[in-house]
Amino acid sequence: MQRKPLALAVLLSCAGLAPAAHADEAKLKAEVEALRAEVAELRGVVREMQAQRAPAPASPVVATQVASTGVAVAPAAAVAAAPAATTAAGQPVPGTGGSGVALGANTSFWGYGQLDYNRPTARAADAQADLTRAVIGFNHVFDEATRVYGEIEWEHAIASSSDQGETEIEQLYVEHALAQNYGVRVGLTLVPLGLLNEHHEPSNFYGVERNFVETAIIPSTWREGGVSMYGNTDWGFNWNVGIGTGPNLGAWDPAADEGRISPLGSIHQELQLAKARDPSVYAAGNWQGIPGLLVGGGVFTGKIGQGDATLPVDKSRLVLGEAHLRWQPGPFDISALYTRGTISNTQDLNLQFLGQPTPVPKSFWGGYVQGAWRALEWGSDSSLAPFLRYEMFNTGASYAAQPLGLGTAPLPTQHVWTLGANYYLNPNVVFKVDYQKFRYEDLVLGYGDRFDLGLGYQF
């Protein structure tokens, strides 16, 4: 607004800006304009600072995930559906494996890793140390409803044609929230069975190694490509259903030990040029209507012959089901899980494998109970949690009937006691020690009493 020269002079004089009554009006006007420009620049800086400090509105993607997992996260943070309400340390489930590092308003990354030392008590010469895994993940939010999530994993430190290490994509999918309480995912996702498969960061389980039941029977980490839907209800129930790829029975190697170590782990395809003639389906759910209590289960099924014309596998079907419970009253953490799988129509296939050490099992199963106690705490971050776990599992509990004298005897059921402790330096860094006692020793499968040390981290 333009003012008359006299009014401008009076105002400036009152403010102490006018040097004298007879100052040059043009000079005064220039000074006023300069002050106005400085004020406008300062206002712009203040607005920019306020915009950076203001929290972004929650998107339907994030709102749906928080409701289904019970975990609050930042909109740019990656969230994976996790059945447990807290970690083994009693901390909120991070969902991404850690708090993550923001790369911008819509992008973040995180990671986790595990280093182990295993020493068989009867065979000290077989002791070994290993950088078991290192994982880097990323998350990018496209808009309020859509994001992409991915994880890259390196195993055993070195991956090459002459080494045992691997480089693999553990997850890669696009997620879209259809509403505040349900959405859809398309891509490579973890199968939502058990307590471990979707929630496998080292600070989220007790003991140096992942438990045997959820590696030998439910192969961890089990992932398939396809389409899934997830959601939750107001009364504490969250669910996940999907359709996609499944294992390939045509890849079974009767001369190798992998099928005895883990029947499904030896034939799951991980979306690597996966044969996909026969789709599989799954459904899983968890109820968390009471604080500290989780009850859930799921089933995975589908034909697994995948159109292999060279083997009699066209009618073979996999069915794997599981039920689990976790209760966390105060400093205690109690969990239990049972799982059982069957593969049908394997008689003719095993006849072709006569004389080989590893036929296809008709049934396999496992279960465990585990108790932990957060016995000591230092400040708000450090804690010591001793635990005890008892497992029973059998990767070849029965085999399809064969002509007299040609059948395969069931494998013996393995029993494992694990006694140890997790020391949490903070919620994201954990030191582990345990001792494992096996009912019977099997050097081929790696079963034998041993002492373990471990370090895990996540960020």
Side-chain angles (χ1 to χ4, degrees):
M1 179 183 294
Q2 299 292 329
R3 295 184 174 86
K4 295 180 179 179
L6 180 59
L8 180 62
V10 171
L11 288 173
L12 293 174
S13 179
C14 293
L17 298 176
H22 301 290
D24 180 66
E25 293 182 3
K27 182 179 179 179
L28 292 176
K29 287 181 180 181
E31 291 178 354
V32 170
E33 292 301 325
L35 288 172
R36 286 176 176 171
E38 290 180 4
V39 170
E41 183 178 357
L42 289 172
R43 286 175 175 171
V45 172
V46 170
R47 284 195 297 267
E48 183 178 351
M49 293 176 63
Q50 290 176 337
Q52 292 176 351
R53 295 179 60 184
S59 71
V61 168
V62 174
T64 302
Q65 293 165 348
V66 170
S68 63
T69 64
V71 184
V73 295
V79 181
T86 63
T87 67
Q91 302 296 325
V93 176
T96 63
S99 57
V101 178
L103 298 180
N106 297 319
T107 306
S108 61
F109 78 96
W110 62 91
Y112 64 89
Q114 179 177 341
L115 297 88
D116 302 335
Y117 172 77
N118 310 108
R119 184 183 180 90
T121 58
R123 304 181 311 279
D126 292 337
Q128 68 175 19
D130 186 32
L131 197 164
T132 307
R133 57 182 52 88
V135 178
I136 293 292
F138 67 90
N139 177 79
H140 179 77
V141 177
F142 296 105
D143 53 44
E144 290 187 350
T146 309
R147 69 179 183 123
V148 62
Y149 176 106
E151 288 183 359
I152 304 172
E153 178 173 4
W154 295 269
E155 295 183 353
H156 309 301
I158 301 175
S160 73
S161 60
S162 59
D163 295 292
Q164 297 186 41
E166 294 182 357
T167 299
E168 56 197 29
I169 304 299
E170 190 162 272
Q171 298 184 72
L172 183 62
Y173 61 84
V174 172
E175 177 177 290
H176 181 73
L178 301 174
Q180 289 292 331
N181 63 339
Y182 63 92
V184 62
R185 297 183 181 122
V186 180
L188 179 66
T189 61
L190 297 174
V191 177
L193 295 186
L195 291 168
L196 181 66
N197 198 52
E198 288 188 298
H199 197 53
H200 50 263
E201 296 85 3
S203 62
N204 294 326
F205 60 86
Y206 296 104
V208 175
E209 307 290 353
R210 298 168 180 176
N211 71 75
F212 285 98
V213 174
E214 293 185 273
T215 52
I217 309 303
I218 303 174
S220 172
T221 51
W222 184 9
R223 50 201 183 271
E224 299 288 354
V227 180
S228 62
M229 291 193 67
Y230 64 92
N232 61 83
T233 68
D234 294 335
W235 44 278
F237 180 74
N238 60 78
W239 52 269
N240 191 325
V241 298
I243 181 172
T245 61
N248 175 22
L249 188 57
W252 187 275
D253 185 354
D257 300 318
E258 284 80 1
R260 283 201 297 152
I261 295 172
S262 173
L264 298 186
S266 68
I267 58 174
H268 73 300
Q269 304 188 78
E270 301 173 314
L271 212 61
Q272 178 185 218
L273 301 175
K275 291 189 175 182
R277 192 200 72 166
D278 298 325
S280 295
V281 296
Y282 65 81
N286 290 284
W287 180 72
Q288 294 175 278
I290 298 175
L293 179 64
L294 168 79
V295 180
V299 63
F300 182 100
T301 184
K303 288 186 175 182
I304 57 176
Q306 305 301 346
D308 192 327
T310 64
L311 294 172
V313 295
D314 188 60
K315 296 181 180 180
S316 296
R317 172 176 290 273
L318 165 70
V319 178
L320 181 72
E322 64 87 16
H324 57 261
L325 177 147
R326 188 174 185 184
W327 184 38
Q328 297 171 286
F332 300 101
D333 189 348
I334 302 167
S335 57
L337 180 144
Y338 176 80
T339 180
R340 180 179 177 84
T342 61
I343 300 176
S344 67
N345 297 292
T346 59
Q347 297 93 331
D348 293 340
L349 178 61
N350 282 342
L351 277 176
Q352 296 193 12
F353 295 159
L354 285 178
Q356 301 289 344
T358 312
V360 180
K362 178 181 178 181
S363 66
F364 43 96
W365 63 273
Y368 69 83
V369 292
Q370 176 179 270
W373 173 38
R374 198 163 60 253
L376 298 173
E377 294 184 280
W378 297 269
S380 59
D381 290 335
S382 299
S383 63
L384 179 67
F387 74 94
L388 178 65
R389 180 172 63 242
Y390 174 65
E391 302 179 68
M392 297 174 61
F393 64 97
N394 193 323
T395 58
S398 67
Y399 294 86
Q402 297 289 359
L404 185 63
L406 299 179
T408 302
L411 296 178
T413 296
Q414 182 63 273
H415 301 246
V416 188
W417 286 94
T418 304
L419 175 65
N422 284 15
Y423 168 63
Y424 294 88
L425 182 65
N426 59 56
N428 295 317
V429 177
V430 59
F431 296 90
K432 304 182 181 185
V433 59
D434 65 47
Y435 178 76
Q436 294 191 302
K437 179 69 176 177
F438 293 77
R439 170 167 289 188
Y440 69 90
E441 187 178 75
D442 188 326
L443 300 183
V444 173
L445 302 186
Y447 302 154
D449 299 353
R450 70 190 191 196
F451 170 76
D452 304 315
L453 292 172
L455 165 66
Y457 70 88
Q458 58 185 27
F459 66 87

